Amino acid sequence: MTAPKKAPGKLKIAVDETVQKLNQEVASRGVRATNALRNAELEVLRGQRSGRVYRKPHSKARYTASAPGEPPARRTGMLRMNWNGTVESVSSGSGIRVSAVLESQEKYSVYLENGTRHMAARPFQQEIVDKAAPEIKRIYSEKYE
């Protein structure tokens, strides 16, 4: 009597394909979560502020600065437009961890967020996270197929 022949690679191929599909879906959701952060950032950093009125340098135009505690006012638009969104993933024995990351490329963003000895903070990062959180939770709550 001979032992039944095994299909040695078929199960492994099926599992590998399923894992690859899930990893692609998780990465796709990471991109969508990063986009949700970016959209929230655009909302938080727009609109009028209630601080002092200044004249723009080299111009007769004026703008209203942000008051302490408000998100920064837009003067040049550089803070609002210079963000880098990435999806970071780390594999471990228990699975994959994906993080949606949005960070400002402007050096002065940390000074606006935390303030300096010459300027009160104009925090905006937590407001961005709070505004994006419902959308990100919805994205990651969708059923995996």
Side-chain angles (χ1 to χ4, degrees):
M1 184 181 254
T2 61
K5 287 190 171 187
K6 293 181 181 179
K10 287 191 178 198
L11 181 57
K12 182 177 180 343
I13 290 170
V15 169
D16 288 347
E17 287 174 355
T18 301
V19 168
Q20 182 179 13
K21 184 177 177 184
L22 284 171
N23 285 341
Q24 288 171 342
E25 180 65 27
V26 168
S28 171
R29 290 182 190 201
V31 170
R32 291 171 53 206
T34 301
N35 288 340
L37 283 168
R38 177 71 170 129
N39 291 337
E41 174 268 320
L42 290 171
E43 276 188 52
V44 168
L45 295 179
R46 91 169 114 188
Q48 288 294 328
R49 302 294 183 245
S50 63
R52 288 180 46 190
V53 176
Y54 292 92
R55 187 176 64 81
K56 286 187 177 183
H58 314 292
S59 168
K60 291 183 180 186
R62 296 186 176 277
Y63 77 99
T64 303
S66 57
E70 286 183 332
R74 184 174 75 181
R75 191 185 88 190
T76 65
M78 295 301 288
L79 176 66
R80 191 166 181 248
M81 300 314 295
N82 286 298
W83 291 78
N84 185 28
T86 58
V87 178
E88 296 175 353
S89 61
V90 178
S91 297
S92 67
S94 61
I96 186 170
R97 179 186 169 124
V98 174
S99 299
V101 179
L102 184 70
E103 59 187 344
S104 174
Q105 300 302 298
E106 289 301 322
K107 295 176 192 173
Y108 59 83
S109 66
V110 70
Y111 303 128
L112 291 168
E113 178 69 23
N114 300 316
T116 67
R117 65 183 186 166
H118 300 290
M119 178 191 76
R122 269 59 174 180
F124 57 94
Q125 292 178 358
Q126 190 59 50
E127 191 172 340
I128 292 169
V129 171
D130 292 346
K131 189 171 278 296
E135 176 68 10
I136 292 171
K137 286 178 184 174
R138 189 192 62 71
I139 289 168
Y140 282 105
S141 296
E142 292 172 359
K143 183 179 174 185
Y144 285 91
E145 295 185 29

